Amino acid sequence: AAAAAAEVGGPCRADGDDSLYPIAVLIDELRNEDVQLRLNSIKKLSTIALALGVERTRTELLPFLTDTIYDEDEVLLALAEQLGNFTMLVGGPEYVHCLLPPLESLATVEETVVRDKAVESLRKISQEHSPVDLEVHFEPLVKRLASGDWFTSRTSACGLFSVCYPRVSSTVKAEIRQHFRTLCSDDTPMVRRAAASKLGEFAKVLELDYVKSDIISLFTALASDEQDSVRLLAVEACVSIATLLPQEDLETLVMPTLRQAAEDKSWRVRYMVADKFSELQKAVGPEITKNDLVPAFQNLLKDCEAEVRAAAANKVKEFCENLPEDSREQIIMTHILPCVKELVSDTNQHVKSALASVIMGLSTILGKDNTIEHLLPLFLAQLKDECPEVRLNIISNLDCVNEVIGIRQLSQSLLPAIVELAEDAKWRVRLAIIEYMPLLAGQLGVEFFDEKLNTLCMAWLIDHVYAIREAATCNLMKLVEKFGAEWAQNTIVPKVLGMANDPNYLHRMTTLFCLKLYWLLFFENTFALSEACGQDITTKQMLPVVLKMSNDQVANVRFNVAKSLQKIGPVLDSNALQAEVKPVLEKLATDTDMDVKYFAQEAISGKVFHLLSLCKKTLNDVSRILHVRYLCINELCSSLLFTVLALA
Amino acid sequence: MSAISASEKVDGFTRKSVRKAQKQRKSQGSSQYRTQSAPVELSPLPQLKDAPSTEQQELFTQKLQQCCMLFDFFDSVTDLKSKEIKRATLNELVDYVSTNRGVLVESAYPEITDMICTNIFRTLPPSDNPDFDPEEDEPTLEASWPHIQLVYEFLLRFLENPDFQPSIAKRYIDQKFVLQLLELFDSEDPRERDFLKTILHRIYGKFLGLRAFIRKQINNIFLRFIYETEHFNGVAELLEILGSIINGFALPLKSEHKQFLMKVLIPLHTAKALSLFHAQLAYCVVQFLEKDPTLTEPVIRGLLKFWPKTCSQKEVMFLGEVEEILDVIEPTQFKKIQEPLFKQISKCVANPHFQVAERALYFWNNEYILSLIEENIDKILPIMFGSLYRISKEHWNPTIVALVYNVLKTLMEMNCTLFDELTSSYKADRQREKKKEQERDELWKNLEELRLNNTTLVQNNSHANTRNTTPEFIGLFTLKY
């Protein structure tokens, strides 16, 4: 590497040839002692290449890069990524093969991320090779990698077969198949794993005859490998292979192996089968599903390892959905449901919670009567589960049941479950249930809500955890959107306003946050809401409360008043703004606390505030659009302001 | 749910120790149990010592077969009687093979290995705790330990029996056996790994034909650990075995062994959980260097390549290992690596984390290292001076500053003139560095502009040959240089 640089750097000084000078400088940059600087330089490799032009990139830069492969993995990773996008910088598809030598070395590096990236880049540029170049340059590289000494190059080769196979001559194709076969029986498990993980992809580009003759035997061998890490990858390949084969061959070519995998002694393999079950089911078709997969699925649902049961439980709904229609109900009722019933009282909470996340989906498949008779007891049992996650999963999927039997059937059990979750000791659980409140409110209706849930929603506003208070505030706004402004005026606003006098300053701040959001929400929907709840009421009712809070003894409350006023300023009419808001802000701007001062000044200096209230008078519609944007970006760019001014 | 205290509500994050105390200590059954239909109740057989010697062999076989019955230990109340019978039988078997001579007749070997395989070879269950942290968390213990322990004990006594014949046993203790044994090293139960370690060591010692295979499979396990899963519980145990294996390597070292050092042991340093096996790993590395000092340069360069960038704890371990290496280094080898090594040490000395800085500065307490530094002071002092000088003024930690003063004093005593030169040129050097920094920024700014110009140019005449535009660009930034 040093020699290369010297050669390049040497003559330039001697000849005084200026045009040769930069490469030395650039190469110096690429070799800087500081890794971070080297990394930065490599990340800007395209800039360097651009400066050099295509010819010198090919003749000088790439040879240098090929020679300096020994570096920190992070630098190599960046290099591998860059080279994948270098085609135009070396002169287009005609010269793309110049990129192969550095990428070939990178594909043999130990570090997996580097190697994977190099393979990704190689796959990318393989598409830019002409068929001739592919055979002359690319395929030999794949062969070299496939017969490399150290496992890393052979591992990388596995990912390259499928990209060149479709575009080469039949002799070369035969060679490629041979190489793949060899790697599938490599003696290091790392290579066998790589080959197994690419088996499906390779099968897809092979001619059907070769799939039957070559791939199947490789598949069978990998699926009975001594290492479970190899066997489980064969399960993945099974999906692709089964999709490729005609139905009549599946039974003899694929099913023996799949049956064996579903009963493998290693739970990892069985887990994989469970995890891929829906894909497998689609790939093998309805007949085999009925005869083979149903019992296999039952076994997985009853597996001795919780991991496997959980993976299978996750697939219950999808599996049932994809059953052939003529026998679906019968299969579910006689084979699947008994297992599901057992899982409801499983000893492992992950299994129960996986089941809870899909079980509601069964109701649409089974219809109203079956749901009421068979599923409802299960839902109710899960709603009473000791593990909050299980209950949450049920509640979060209520909409499926609602469509089939209506939520009322559940509401008696639902309420205690919700109340319990609402008071859970873990704030994350409380947070999760809050997020479902708007959905529940929509489905249960306003009366039920007022009666049972309203108190919960208000209680969250004074939770001990900020995240909960924040979520509760947002939740209130969503409820207002659902139930309308009038409902808000009657049920929420008085309580929120009442909190303004709470002895706890955190609660007083919650009032502020609520009012701010409410205001903004209200403004966005001005046209949708009835005149009765017009701007006047909000202004008259709420503004005095906010303004009064500017005298709060806690500085945090005061500066939040300033922040809120800045936000809601644009929504207010200019009279209120000038007469009431401005004096308050000015007073806050002279506050003793520096944060209060800062935010008050921010609010005053936000010119937006005046301008917008000005144009609001004249151009209601324009300002409305602007406000909506204002809400998102918080600051209007100056050009927009000029437009507004001009319009005004 | 109403019994939740206010403090619990406030702090959603209960401390780990609290959570752990609540969690009952768990032990795990193994996946293996399900493969067998419900266990048949065992009935006690007569004691071996009471049987006439002609019938002993037959009884021994019967007992071995009886011990092939597996029980569900996850359920602590079932089959209590049979479990007790098996335990007593295993105890008796252990006793039988360790105290009696002439019991290992050829026909017993398959029965013995069969009993062992059935009991110990199993797919390890999924970890109860996916982010198991071996330093923090309690390991999940093997539920069937009361039986498995005795089986391991029996295997060990079997291997150590003076009558043991490797030539017969190799038919049963073969590659497949070893492979399964190695997979068990992933067990979370430290008691099990400890037994495995001793057993594998015995097998390595007695079966010459399996040695290369064992080394290769350990290689594979390590490579999978480093580059694929980053999870394997038995790395420390395997390294411990390797430490004694390396000790016995013949000289000159085979290339296979050197490859193992460079491609497996050195990359093992990148592991997140290095602290769990660093002592054993450093021991292996130093063993190699003591065998063949010419490996010092590649090893040090390898360590420098993988030097931790963000993890101070690991950096301290690396420094410890470097000191161990320096303790055995030959002066000629030291000359080869002193520059890159001391550039790194100079960075460590200036590390804001005081433990790293302190560990690096402790090198100056080591007599042998001091003598090496003194021999090469003209090379090392210029590398170290900048950092030390700066740190002596800037480091936040007074202990470090005091240590740095001592080091500076030592270095000054080694070469007073060079020290004075460096002191006086310190400022100029800093300024030169700053200037270079500015020049770099300039260069990149120009390149950046070029790129922008080029994109607009390309956009303007997208059909033009890009090569035409190139000389112009080069002219642009040669102006600056």
Side-chain angles (χ1 to χ4, degrees):
Chain A
E7 268 171 38
V8 183
C12 65
R13 255 153 266 212
D15 303 343
D17 182 354
D18 281 341
S19 67
L20 278 176
Y21 193 57
I23 182 92
V25 176
L26 298 176
I27 282 175
D28 258 2
E29 282 298 288
L30 293 176
R31 297 199 305 188
N32 198 303
E33 230 171 71
D34 186 331
V35 192
Q36 194 52 49
L37 294 179
R38 234 163 37 228
L39 189 61
N40 291 345
S41 310
I42 282 281
K43 283 186 175 157
K44 291 178 184 159
L45 200 61
S46 57
T47 312
I48 295 180
L50 207 60
L52 289 173
V54 292
E55 206 171 313
R56 298 184 59 209
T57 299
R58 288 200 300 269
T59 55
E60 293 169 36
L61 185 61
L62 287 177
F64 165 74
L65 290 174
T66 316
D67 288 342
T68 38
I69 288 304
Y70 187 85
D71 200 336
E72 300 257 349
D73 292 326
E74 220 175 326
V75 178
L76 298 183
L77 175 67
L79 179 59
E81 186 170 8
Q82 291 269 318
L83 290 177
N85 303 314
F86 244 54
T87 311
M88 289 321 285
L89 294 165
V90 292
E94 190 182 342
Y95 294 101
V96 67
H97 59 84
C98 299
L99 297 173
L100 297 179
L103 282 172
E104 181 175 350
S105 324
L106 289 169
T108 63
V109 162
E110 259 86 29
E111 179 51 53
T112 328
V113 279
V114 177
R115 238 185 308 137
D116 289 350
K117 194 49 96 180
V119 170
E120 194 186 313
S121 289
L122 279 169
R123 287 169 71 111
K124 210 163 164 185
I125 64 168
S126 73
Q127 304 306 321
E128 282 149 356
H129 280 70
S130 66
V132 177
D133 279 351
L134 207 61
E135 269 187 38
V136 177
H137 299 287
F138 199 88
E139 203 269 339
L141 169 144
V142 179
K143 268 196 261 176
R144 279 195 300 278
L145 288 176
S147 41
D149 279 341
W150 191 238
F151 79 97
T152 51
S153 69
R154 302 200 298 277
T155 311
S156 295
C158 294
L160 296 173
F161 294 119
S162 64
V163 291
C164 52
Y165 189 83
R167 295 168 62 210
V168 292
S169 67
S170 56
T171 8
V172 180
K173 279 183 175 177
E175 282 173 30
I176 293 181
R177 287 196 305 273
Q178 180 52 46
H179 277 292
F180 193 79
R181 259 200 302 278
T182 318
L183 294 185
C184 282
S185 53
D186 198 278
D187 66 24
T188 63
M190 288 77 82
V191 178
R192 293 202 303 278
R193 277 195 286 274
S197 69
K198 300 292 175 194
L199 184 65
E201 178 190 294
F202 189 56
K204 280 186 194 156
V205 298
L206 244 60
E207 297 80 356
L208 186 61
D209 282 346
Y210 291 121
V211 173
K212 286 188 201 171
S213 61
D214 284 28
I215 296 289
I216 293 298
S217 65
L218 297 176
F219 167 64
T220 320
L222 290 169
S224 41
D225 195 277
E226 61 193 13
Q227 303 245 342
D228 59 359
S229 51
V230 180
R231 295 202 298 276
L232 67 90
L233 290 167
V235 175
E236 266 189 294
C238 184
V239 176
S240 323
I241 295 171
T243 322
L244 295 170
L245 292 174
Q247 191 69 35
E248 65 269 22
D249 291 331
L250 285 177
E251 181 52 45
T252 49
L253 298 180
V254 175
M255 286 317 289
T257 313
L258 182 56
R259 274 185 216 118
Q260 176 196 319
E263 287 173 358
D264 197 284
K265 68 179 194 299
S266 163
W267 62 270
R268 290 186 187 84
V269 180
R270 300 196 305 273
Y271 172 88
M272 200 60 162
V273 175
D275 196 46
K276 298 277 165 219
F277 216 82
S278 308
E279 287 95 328
L280 288 168
Q281 184 188 6
K282 278 179 206 152
V284 298
E287 273 313 303
I288 298 183
T289 299
K290 257 192 273 182
N291 303 333
D292 271 287
L293 294 195
V294 172
F297 195 60
Q298 282 175 291
N299 283 338
L300 292 171
L301 288 172
K302 290 187 223 151
D303 198 278
C304 65
E305 288 300 345
E307 258 75 0
V308 180
R309 289 199 304 277
N314 254 322
K315 302 287 166 189
V316 163
K317 183 194 157 205
E318 256 184 283
F319 180 74
C320 294
E321 252 174 6
N322 296 331
L323 285 171
E325 221 159 306
D326 53 341
S327 49
R328 185 193 288 158
E329 194 175 319
Q330 181 256 327
I331 294 178
I332 298 177
M333 298 306 292
T334 52
H335 299 292
I336 307 297
L337 209 56
C339 301
V340 169
K341 276 183 188 153
E342 268 173 55
L343 290 183
V344 167
S345 47
D346 199 280
T347 47
N348 185 294
Q349 63 169 41
H350 298 291
V351 177
K352 287 187 291 188
S353 125
L355 182 70
S357 64
V358 296
I359 190 172
M360 312 291 269
L362 291 180
S363 48
T364 29
I365 304 171
L366 288 178
K368 191 171 176 184
D369 293 341
N370 279 329
T371 303
I372 294 178
E373 195 188 333
H374 298 286
L375 293 177
L376 199 58
L378 303 182
F379 299 158
L380 296 178
Q382 292 216 299
L383 267 179
K384 294 191 192 91
D385 199 279
E386 54 175 10
C387 163
E389 227 175 281
V390 176
R391 282 173 270 149
L392 260 182
N393 281 345
I394 289 288
I395 290 175
S396 60
N397 289 302
L398 278 176
D399 43 341
C400 321
V401 191
N402 195 24
E403 287 162 24
V404 183
I405 57 167
I407 210 162
R408 292 277 165 178
Q409 295 268 10
L410 280 171
S411 55
Q412 280 316 311
S413 324
L414 206 49
L415 198 65
I418 294 174
V419 172
E420 222 170 81
L421 287 169
E423 289 166 356
D424 197 283
K426 294 194 188 72
W427 67 268
R428 283 174 205 283
V429 174
R430 301 202 295 279
L431 187 65
I433 188 74
I434 291 178
E435 275 159 16
Y436 295 117
M437 267 301 145
L439 180 81
L440 284 171
Q443 289 176 356
L444 292 167
V446 69
E447 277 162 51
F448 187 89
F449 184 86
D450 277 346
E451 199 180 316
K452 318 270 186 189
L453 300 178
N454 197 15
T455 31
L456 283 181
C457 290
M458 299 316 283
W460 282 320
L461 286 176
I462 51 170
D463 198 281
H464 291 83
V465 176
Y466 176 75
I468 299 298
R469 296 196 300 272
E470 193 188 23
T473 315
C474 295
N475 172 45
L476 277 190
M477 295 310 126
K478 286 181 191 149
L479 293 173
V480 173
E481 277 183 285
K482 271 221 155 72
F483 295 151
E486 204 168 331
W487 174 82
Q489 288 293 342
N490 295 332
T491 48
I492 293 188
V493 175
K495 285 185 193 162
V496 169
L497 290 179
M499 272 164 57
N501 299 319
D502 197 289
N504 186 334
Y505 83 98
L506 292 170
H507 301 171
R508 297 201 294 276
M509 292 216 297
T510 308
T511 304
L512 266 181
F513 297 140
C514 282
L515 290 182
K516 183 173 72 184
L517 279 181
Y518 184 69
W519 234 306
L520 296 173
L521 172 84
F522 183 74
F523 184 77
E524 268 187 87
N525 296 314
T526 304
F527 296 90
L529 295 171
S530 66
E531 278 301 307
C533 313
Q535 203 177 357
D536 282 354
I537 290 183
T538 45
T539 314
K540 280 193 188 125
Q541 218 177 4
M542 298 177 190
L543 191 60
V545 177
V546 175
L547 295 176
K548 199 180 139 216
M549 288 171 98
S550 69
N551 298 319
D552 201 290
Q553 56 186 0
V554 178
N556 299 46
V557 178
R558 294 201 301 278
F559 75 64
N560 271 301
V561 169
K563 280 166 96 173
S564 303
L565 286 175
Q566 186 183 10
K567 280 269 169 74
I568 61 179
V571 188
L572 297 170
D573 70 66
S574 62
N575 289 340
L577 210 55
Q578 290 297 334
E580 298 174 64
V581 175
K582 215 173 162 200
V584 167
L585 282 176
E586 276 163 359
K587 198 182 110 211
L588 287 175
T590 59
D591 201 280
T592 46
D593 186 279
M594 58 184 269
D595 293 319
V596 179
K597 244 193 234 176
Y598 172 79
F599 286 110
Q601 278 160 358
E602 280 271 282
I604 293 172
S605 64
K607 291 176 202 114
V608 183
F609 177 148
H610 300 282
L611 285 169
L612 290 180
S613 61
L614 175 72
C615 64
K616 189 171 171 277
K617 261 189 192 165
T618 49
L619 274 171
N620 237 331
D621 292 310
V622 173
S623 69
R624 197 175 94 80
I625 295 161
L626 283 172
H627 284 312
V628 176
R629 280 200 198 143
Y630 176 71
L631 294 178
C632 319
I633 57 171
N634 246 322
E635 261 174 63
L636 277 172
C637 60
S638 51
S639 62
L640 208 55
L641 264 177
F642 283 122
T643 330
V644 176
L645 264 183
L647 285 168
Chain B
M1 290 281 166
S2 52
I4 299 154
S5 70
S7 68
E8 256 179 284
K9 267 201 165 175
V10 175
D11 183 12
F13 308 93
T14 40
R15 250 167 286 116
K16 215 173 182 182
S17 55
V18 179
R19 263 186 292 146
K20 245 178 243 161
Q22 290 168 345
K23 204 168 155 190
Q24 72 206 58
R25 233 173 113 98
K26 282 203 181 149
S27 59
Q28 199 136 28
S30 61
S31 260
Q32 158 205 42
Y33 170 66
R34 64 154 212 151
T35 51
Q36 176 192 280
S37 46
V40 184
E41 199 170 307
L42 298 182
S43 46
L45 294 164
Q47 292 268 321
L48 276 163
K49 61 173 192 288
D50 301 337
S53 58
T54 45
E55 286 164 30
Q56 263 188 359
Q57 203 54 46
E58 174 58 27
L59 188 59
F60 181 50
T61 313
Q62 277 177 12
K63 288 196 176 230
L64 284 170
Q65 281 163 354
Q66 197 171 45
C67 288
C68 287
M69 185 66 67
L70 302 176
F71 296 96
D72 180 7
F73 272 85
F74 210 44
D75 184 347
S76 55
V77 288
T78 56
D79 308 314
L80 279 179
K81 200 166 143 248
S82 297
K83 280 178 188 167
E84 176 51 31
I85 291 173
K86 178 169 169 182
R87 201 192 57 79
T89 312
L90 281 168
N91 256 327
E92 199 192 347
L93 288 175
V94 171
D95 208 45
Y96 186 66
V97 289
S98 43
T99 49
N100 294 358
R101 294 294 305 261
V103 293
L104 294 183
V105 294
E106 192 168 342
S107 63
Y109 281 76
E111 301 287 350
I112 289 173
T113 42
D114 195 37
M115 189 278 278
I116 291 165
C117 293
T118 325
N119 276 286
I120 63 171
F121 294 150
R122 62 206 195 278
T123 310
L124 294 170
S127 175
D128 215 22
N129 174 1
D131 353 275
F132 175 66
D133 174 359
E135 278 191 312
E136 280 262 328
D137 300 331
E138 283 286 331
T140 313
L141 300 177
E142 173 59 46
S144 55
W145 189 244
H147 285 172
I148 288 202
Q149 176 185 18
L150 293 169
V151 178
Y152 278 125
E153 187 79 48
F154 177 76
L155 170 55
L156 199 58
R157 296 297 162 89
F158 168 59
L159 292 168
E160 285 171 350
N161 189 302
D163 297 332
F164 180 77
Q165 301 261 356
S167 53
I168 302 170
K170 75 178 181 195
R171 264 175 270 161
Y172 312 103
I173 298 184
D174 53 3
Q175 295 194 346
K176 191 165 174 241
F177 185 95
V178 168
L179 204 60
Q180 288 173 288
L181 199 68
L182 282 169
E183 268 170 29
L184 290 175
F185 274 83
D186 194 19
S187 167
E188 244 177 67
D189 194 330
R191 302 168 301 182
E192 179 165 21
R193 295 202 304 272
D194 207 52
F195 260 114
L196 286 164
K197 186 176 72 187
T198 323
I199 288 166
L200 185 67
H201 198 246
R202 295 286 178 278
I203 292 178
Y204 191 89
K206 291 192 192 282
F207 296 84
L208 301 184
L210 285 173
R211 287 186 176 182
F213 181 79
I214 292 175
R215 288 198 306 268
K216 203 168 104 193
Q217 294 309 322
I218 293 181
N219 253 341
N220 288 343
I221 288 175
F222 284 166
L223 289 167
R224 184 181 63 188
F225 169 73
I226 303 166
Y227 296 116
E228 293 180 17
T229 58
E230 285 186 51
H231 177 90
F232 192 83
N233 289 317
V235 177
E237 283 81 3
L238 290 176
L239 281 170
E240 210 173 305
I241 299 172
L242 282 166
S244 63
I245 293 179
I246 296 165
N247 214 339
F249 281 162
L251 285 171
L253 288 177
K254 283 195 225 162
S255 70
E256 174 213 325
H257 301 325
K258 290 186 192 171
Q259 192 181 45
F260 170 66
L261 170 68
M262 293 314 299
K263 300 227 171 185
V264 181
L265 289 186
I266 298 297
L268 260 181
H269 286 84
T270 59
K272 214 167 19 190
L274 179 66
S275 61
L276 294 175
F277 53 81
H278 181 254
Q280 291 84 347
L281 180 59
Y283 177 78
C284 287
V285 171
V286 172
Q287 287 291 303
F288 262 112
L289 298 187
E290 283 197 286
K291 286 258 163 196
D292 183 355
T294 60
L295 290 167
T296 310
E297 188 184 352
V299 164
I300 293 278
R301 286 191 187 277
L303 287 178
L304 292 175
K305 182 180 168 185
F306 295 131
W307 202 270
K309 303 218 167 34
T310 52
C311 181
S312 308
Q313 275 79 22
K314 270 174 80 173
E315 212 168 346
V316 172
M317 286 183 246
F318 269 59
L319 284 165
E321 187 169 347
V322 166
E323 182 162 359
E324 278 181 56
I325 293 173
L326 289 177
D327 268 334
V328 300
I329 203 167
E330 289 183 358
T332 46
Q333 297 299 325
F334 181 80
K335 280 192 175 34
K336 288 186 194 160
I337 47 90
Q338 57 183 0
E339 272 188 55
L341 180 62
F342 274 83
K343 275 182 188 162
Q344 182 58 55
I345 293 176
S346 115
K347 278 186 210 157
C348 293
V349 163
N351 196 302
H353 196 305
F354 77 99
Q355 284 175 339
V356 176
E358 190 179 53
R359 187 67 192 82
L361 288 164
Y362 279 164
F363 281 18
W364 274 264
N365 293 344
N366 183 317
E367 289 294 330
Y368 182 60
I369 298 178
L370 268 186
S371 72
L372 291 168
I373 294 177
E374 186 158 17
E375 249 171 71
N376 302 285
I377 188 72
D378 50 327
K379 287 274 187 314
I380 291 172
L381 187 51
I383 299 172
M384 293 300 300
F385 184 80
S387 289
L388 290 172
Y389 192 81
R390 190 164 53 81
I391 284 304
S392 70
K393 301 207 179 330
E394 284 175 10
H395 206 283
W396 61 272
N397 184 305
T399 320
I400 297 299
V401 175
L403 281 170
V404 166
Y405 271 118
N406 281 335
V407 168
L408 277 172
K409 195 164 148 263
T410 321
L411 290 172
M412 188 174 76
E413 280 160 8
M414 286 177 182
N415 188 339
C416 198
T417 26
L418 180 59
F419 192 90
D420 288 343
E421 272 171 41
L422 288 168
T423 319
S424 51
S425 67
Y426 178 77
K427 254 199 179 144
D429 285 344
R430 288 295 86 78
Q431 267 160 0
R432 219 178 8 257
E433 269 171 35
K434 257 195 193 145
K435 191 156 168 274
K436 227 175 137 190
E437 191 61 24
Q438 278 172 354
E439 283 175 359
R440 292 195 58 256
D441 285 349
E442 276 297 291
L443 169 74
W444 280 106
K445 232 195 261 160
N446 289 331
L447 282 174
E448 212 44 49
E449 273 169 31
L450 265 176
R451 199 170 63 90
L452 291 175
N453 287 344
N454 200 36
T455 18
T456 41
L457 264 179
V458 171
Q459 277 164 359
N460 289 344
N461 47 45
S462 49
H463 298 294
N465 186 347
T466 39
R467 223 177 296 170
N468 287 343
T469 56
T470 317
E472 206 180 317
F473 296 146
I474 286 174
L476 244 176
F477 65 88
T478 31
L479 271 181
K480 293 283 173 191
Y481 292 88

